Amino acid sequence: MTTLFISDLHLEAGQPEIGEQFLRFLGRDAREAEALYLLGDLFDAWLGDDDPNPYYGTMKSALRKLSDTGVPVYFMHGNRDFLVGEVFAAETGITILDDPTIVDLYGTGVLLCHGDSLCTDDVEYQKIRAMTRSPDWQTMILAKSLQERIAFALQAREASKARGELISDEIMDVNQDAVRAAFRDHEVDTMLHGHTHRPAVHEVDLGDRQATRIVLGDWYQQGSVVRWDADGPSLESMPRS
Ligand code: MN
């Protein structure tokens, strides 16, 4: 059996080919999987589980269909969809995971995270992250009407664009000290994340041991997946066929 990991699809109605590939992936690959992990930025934006946009309805139905077949689906928040909440989880049958989470994959302890927490060189972003992940801030935002939240998100997006965050190449890469600290703090040798849109498998020298950091790619031009089975992980791109 194989466990699947994807991230950074940035699903949005204006990019239908991404959603179509995701729906095919859920209907084929994921059906055969032992579990599916969505490691953040599944959605390009998420303004609250009460958003009635039918595009989201389509995606929710497909996730529900998968979880109803008995495939466990795990979801971790990204920096775009951190407002995905328990209503979404109940509607789709997914389980929301903390960032980070350690899972046992066929005998290997693996640290899963979205990846933005490792980008510590972007000091301004880390401040925003701390604010937007706090329960108080989220309660405050979700108390606003959907229309107010849409206006707020547009404003935030403009600010983010001004800082160069929207263009994938300009997302700051991880900080190597933060990576090494994560390996040491969590006492693991393997880490898997997305966010940077730089798919790769990195060997990391921790001095006393070697560790591996696997980075998922985004879905802008093709899909990106890690397939993990008893033989280990395989990072693959999936052409849009
Ligand atoms: Mn991200």
Side-chain angles (χ1 to χ4, degrees):
M1 289 292 276
T2 305
T3 302
L4 301 176
F5 300 86
I6 58 176
S7 71
D8 302 285
L9 286 79
H10 292 267
L11 292 173
E12 60 165 315
Q15 302 285 337
E17 66 286 357
I18 303 176
E20 285 159 16
Q21 185 173 13
F22 179 54
L23 295 176
R24 287 195 298 274
F25 178 82
L26 291 183
R28 294 180 201 165
D29 307 59
R31 282 291 184 103
E32 311 295 321
E34 190 165 343
L36 170 64
Y37 287 80
L38 309 165
L39 294 185
D41 290 354
L42 174 64
F43 298 106
D44 195 53
W46 194 263
L47 300 174
D49 295 349
D50 54 344
D51 190 335
N53 186 330
Y55 175 78
Y56 297 140
T58 303
M59 299 305 154
K60 285 193 279 194
S61 300
L63 286 167
R64 176 88 241 176
K65 209 167 153 190
L66 177 65
S67 56
D68 280 349
T69 65
V71 177
V73 182
Y74 300 100
F75 174 96
M76 189 175 279
H77 293 119
N79 51 300
R80 298 302 196 86
D81 52 11
F82 57 84
L83 284 179
V84 166
E86 289 304 329
V87 171
F88 178 91
E91 285 175 340
T92 57
I94 63 152
T95 301
I96 297 177
L97 298 178
D98 287 338
D99 181 350
T101 287
I102 297 173
V103 292
D104 184 292
L105 292 170
Y106 313 96
T108 301
V110 180
L111 183 72
L112 305 177
C113 57
H114 176 57
D116 54 334
S117 61
L118 301 169
C119 301
T120 53
D121 293 331
D122 193 342
V123 176
E124 192 59 33
Y125 170 69
Q126 293 301 331
K127 280 187 214 161
I128 294 168
R129 184 178 193 274
M131 178 183 76
T132 55
R133 303 307 168 85
S134 79
D136 286 351
W137 187 89
Q138 294 195 359
T139 302
M140 179 275 291
I141 275 294
L142 291 172
K144 295 180 188 293
S145 71
L146 185 60
Q147 209 161 14
E148 286 172 312
R149 276 175 268 152
I150 289 169
F152 175 83
L154 280 173
Q155 208 177 23
R157 183 169 287 216
E158 286 307 314
S160 157
K161 201 184 277 177
R163 298 171 48 235
E165 274 180 3
L166 279 189
I167 302 151
S168 60
D169 288 348
E170 294 182 5
I171 291 178
M172 276 196 199
D173 204 356
V174 298
N175 174 288
Q176 295 306 324
D177 290 336
V179 167
R180 283 188 285 266
F183 278 121
R184 290 213 184 84
D185 293 349
H186 298 284
E187 298 177 335
V188 292
D189 296 329
T190 313
M191 183 189 311
L192 172 57
H193 67 82
H195 180 66
T196 60
H197 303 194
R198 291 171 169 90
V201 178
H202 300 276
E203 293 305 316
V204 182
D205 187 359
L206 296 176
D208 55 337
R209 59 194 165 96
Q210 290 292 119
T212 305
R213 180 172 66 93
I214 306 166
V215 187
L216 287 158
D218 63 66
W219 282 47
Y220 288 135
Q221 307 299 330
Q222 67 273 305
S224 179
V225 62
V226 164
R227 302 178 194 274
W228 207 309
D229 61 22
D231 294 329
S234 169
L235 171 64
E236 299 168 16
S237 65
M238 296 182 290
R240 285 253 209 272
S241 52

